Amino acid sequence: MDIKTIKTIESATEKSISSFAKLSLSLLFLLAVFLWTYSSHGKVPDNTFLIIGAIFGAYMALNIGANDVANNVGPSVGAKALTLTGAIIIAGIFESAGAIIAGGDVVNTIKSGIIDPNLIADKNSFIWAMTAGLLAGAVWLNFATSIGAPVSTTHAIVGGVMGAGIASAGFSILNWGSLFEIASSWIISPILGGIVAAGFLYFIKKQIVYKENMLEQAEKFVPILIAIMTWAFTTYLILKGLKQLINIGFYSASGISILFAIAAYYLTKKSIEKNLSNLTNDRSSVNKLFTPALIFGAALLSFAHGANDVSNAIGPLAAINDAIMHGGTGIQASVPFWIMFVGAIGIVIGLVLYGPRLIKTVGSEITELDQMRAFSVAMATAVTVILASQMGLPVSSTHIAIGGVFGVGFLREALDMSEKNYVQDIREKFKKHKKELEKAQADLTKLEAIKDKNKSTYIKIVELFKKIDEIEDLVKQEKKDFKEAKGTKYVKRDAVKKIIAAWIITVPTSALLAAGIYYMIKGIVAV
């Protein structure tokens, strides 16, 4: 989706739902969570922090919907495979379905084993730590969304729990191995995502786009690509989205997915053959062939994300609930349905009210996307997560998706910029003026060697000096123009810098916020 179209949509949205109305609806949701928790747990001893935790968990879910879901649907919207409204509807349905159906009966409340909860002195300190971690992660996500930076919600909650854990029990509580894995994922995830996305796009360009008969090549290769995508997404869904319902290993999941891939191959091939007469031999027609796959991929990614990442909102809340109701402070805690429901509905409300901002960032503000580029990004997300999981590499799906967008953008620069006529013109002018400069400097050297005081010779020397200065200025300007045209056309560097900076500071910022909130809670309760 181009920036003009998105601005038109956002303008229309602002007219129908103002910022004040969005805030009011968000607060209404938080109020509903408060009333439900209070009415259903009013007689539970020490229920204050359960009510507060429920509100913070709902707030975290709102921010996950506003920030993280964009990675699943943003590329499809940017490529115009989905409208913004259609993307929000699909994401809302499948995110909530994933969270409620496959969110699981057990949530790892201390993400990635980041701290050892057994080192926390008492139940109250544990509850304060989980409350602080939850609020800190949510506040940071809220800020990141406000500046248009897609960040990892998992990293945000991990940083929050880490900081609160340190505040409650010191640095000995940390699992340094997990910390190293998280830091590694900042580098591994976007690089892998970028390489895989660029690899798929390069294959599409070389085997289809750059061929004389694109339709013939598309008829041959698109069914294969769709089959690979079906295998990758089905495997990803089974391993990540349905892991609480179907607990099977990679090879079994892969075997099941191959059957779906074979079916997708023949269905796609039949569909292309049926519609071949309505297509023309151009890039636009080839792009259309990827549209159904992008819609399918957006739905599956949303389902898997809802099932997997709802724990970032309700994990600490489940821990608080378990500590208050049963006195437990362990690694895992059972999750009542009402907590799962709060997480699911919160994600959907956050997506509907605030999601378009990040969808815009992912879909169009980093680089321009069409269907084949968005397809490559979606493939990178699924394939990279699967490969990294099997290799034991720590990755973030958010960083992979954004890295994939970076990858296709930089590949476009590498392949396309050198082919643009204006770049070629600049190069030729640069070469021409450089030769003129060298000739003028050689003539000047000859005249100076004569050492003739004749007036005409002097005038020629002065004229050559002027000409040399003029040509030097032209050469400098053309060299600058060439560098600018060659390096900044397809990927917006400011967006890249902002996003990477937000990634790097997510964990430490959430940790510092959580530590401060923990001490504030402790001080208030102690008084």
Side-chain angles (χ1 to χ4, degrees):
M1 178 175 286
D2 56 57
I3 294 175
K4 184 178 178 181
T5 304
I6 292 177
K7 285 183 177 178
T8 302
I9 293 171
E10 288 190 332
S11 177
T13 303
E14 287 298 325
K15 289 178 182 178
S16 59
I17 306 178
S18 66
S19 297
F20 178 76
K22 291 178 183 179
L23 178 60
S24 298
L25 290 171
S26 300
L27 292 175
L28 186 63
F29 169 64
L30 298 180
L31 177 61
V33 171
F34 164 74
L35 292 174
W36 160 257
T37 312
Y38 180 79
S39 62
S40 60
H41 297 80
K43 297 181 180 180
V44 175
D46 301 323
N47 65 350
T48 302
F49 275 96
L50 178 58
I51 296 171
I52 293 173
I55 295 171
F56 291 170
Y59 176 46
M60 181 67 171
L62 285 172
N63 284 289
I64 291 175
N67 191 290
D68 215 25
V69 180
N71 304 311
N72 304 325
V73 298
S76 297
V77 174
K80 300 181 183 179
L82 281 170
T83 63
L84 183 61
T85 301
I88 290 173
I89 292 172
I90 288 174
I93 292 171
F94 284 91
E95 284 279 342
S96 57
I100 293 172
I101 295 171
D105 296 325
V106 177
V107 173
N108 186 353
T109 59
I110 315 300
K111 295 297 294 182
S112 305
I114 194 68
I115 66 172
D116 181 0
N118 295 318
L119 296 180
I120 297 179
D122 55 68
K123 183 183 77 172
N124 288 335
S125 295
F126 178 78
I127 293 171
W128 301 341
M130 292 300 99
T131 303
L134 192 55
L135 180 58
V139 169
W140 169 246
L141 280 180
N142 198 159
F143 175 76
T145 302
S146 70
I147 64 171
V151 297
S152 171
T153 56
T154 301
H155 288 182
I157 197 65
V158 166
V161 171
M162 181 184 76
I166 293 172
S168 63
F171 283 92
S172 61
I173 199 173
L174 294 182
N175 183 333
W176 293 101
S178 294
L179 278 177
F180 176 76
E181 288 185 356
I182 292 168
S184 299
S185 73
W186 294 338
I187 301 171
I188 295 171
S189 298
I191 290 176
L192 281 178
I195 291 172
V196 174
F200 275 105
L201 182 59
Y202 184 79
F203 178 85
I204 292 170
K205 283 179 174 288
K206 289 295 184 181
Q207 297 300 326
I208 300 176
V209 178
Y210 293 161
K211 299 294 184 180
E212 185 175 347
N213 194 331
M214 285 191 279
L215 277 182
E216 182 181 316
Q217 292 296 107
E219 186 180 3
K220 178 181 178 182
F221 286 105
V222 170
I224 296 173
L225 290 168
I226 300 300
I228 296 172
M229 181 183 195
T230 303
W231 171 84
F233 272 68
T234 308
T235 303
Y236 178 85
L237 181 64
I238 293 172
L239 293 178
K240 294 292 181 180
L242 300 175
K243 61 184 178 181
Q244 300 298 339
L245 299 179
I246 306 174
N247 188 15
I248 61 177
F250 169 75
Y251 293 107
S252 299
S254 181
I256 295 171
S257 300
I258 287 174
L259 299 177
F260 285 95
I262 293 171
Y265 173 85
Y266 284 106
L267 287 173
T268 304
K269 193 171 184 65
K270 186 177 180 180
S271 176
I272 293 174
E273 291 172 354
K274 182 180 178 181
N275 296 294
L276 204 59
S277 59
N278 299 323
L279 300 173
T280 55
N281 188 43
D282 56 24
R283 185 188 180 101
S284 177
S285 289
V286 173
N287 261 318
K288 290 177 182 177
L289 299 177
F290 290 98
T291 298
L294 287 174
I295 297 172
F296 167 79
L300 286 188
L301 276 176
S302 296
F303 186 92
H305 179 268
N308 198 51
D309 280 26
V310 69
S311 61
N312 292 327
I314 65 173
L317 174 56
I320 294 168
N321 178 75
D322 189 56
I324 291 174
M325 301 297 290
H326 309 293
T329 59
I331 297 291
Q332 294 180 331
S334 61
V335 183
F337 179 79
W338 72 269
I339 292 181
M340 193 72 70
F341 188 76
V342 166
I345 298 302
I347 288 175
V348 174
I349 293 175
L351 167 65
V352 172
L353 296 180
Y354 299 103
R357 179 179 178 84
L358 267 294
I359 290 174
K360 170 187 171 182
T361 297
V362 175
S364 65
E365 287 192 345
I366 299 172
T367 191
E368 183 183 352
L369 296 173
D370 59 14
Q371 285 93 322
M372 59 184 70
R373 295 171 198 148
F375 173 86
S376 300
V377 174
M379 285 290 289
T381 303
V383 171
T384 306
V385 169
I386 293 169
L387 293 177
S389 297
Q390 296 312 302
M391 296 171 65
L393 297 175
V395 292
S396 163
S397 59
T398 298
H399 292 189
I400 292 170
I402 303 302
V405 176
F406 292 163
V408 299
F410 286 122
L411 179 68
R412 288 178 65 210
E413 287 187 1
L415 294 179
D416 294 351
M417 289 304 292
S418 61
E419 298 171 5
K420 295 294 182 182
N421 290 332
Y422 73 90
V423 177
Q424 293 286 5
D425 291 342
I426 292 172
R427 181 188 282 116
E428 293 304 318
K429 288 178 182 178
F430 175 79
K431 289 180 179 178
K432 177 184 176 182
H433 288 141
K434 192 173 181 181
K435 286 181 179 179
E436 290 179 358
L437 177 62
E438 290 172 351
K439 184 178 182 303
Q441 288 173 335
D443 291 341
L444 179 62
T445 302
K446 289 178 182 178
L447 285 172
E448 287 181 333
I450 296 174
K451 294 181 180 180
D452 190 344
K453 295 184 180 179
N454 185 288
K455 185 177 180 181
S456 61
T457 304
Y458 175 76
I459 292 173
K460 286 181 181 179
I461 291 174
V462 172
E463 288 176 348
L464 279 173
F465 268 120
K466 289 181 179 179
K467 185 176 181 180
I468 288 171
D469 288 340
E470 290 173 358
I471 296 175
E472 281 181 341
D473 290 339
L474 281 172
V475 169
K476 287 178 181 178
Q477 184 60 45
E478 285 160 0
K479 189 175 181 181
K480 181 180 178 181
D481 291 343
F482 180 77
K483 285 183 178 180
E484 289 179 354
K486 188 73 176 173
T488 61
K489 186 66 178 176
Y490 285 106
V491 180
K492 298 175 183 177
R493 268 47 173 189
D494 288 342
V496 174
K497 291 174 184 176
K498 178 178 69 175
I499 291 169
I500 291 177
W503 286 354
I504 293 172
I505 65 174
T506 290
V507 170
T509 302
S510 296
L512 288 172
L513 280 172
I517 293 169
Y518 175 85
Y519 286 124
M520 183 175 67
I521 293 172
K522 186 176 181 180
I524 292 172
V525 174
V527 173

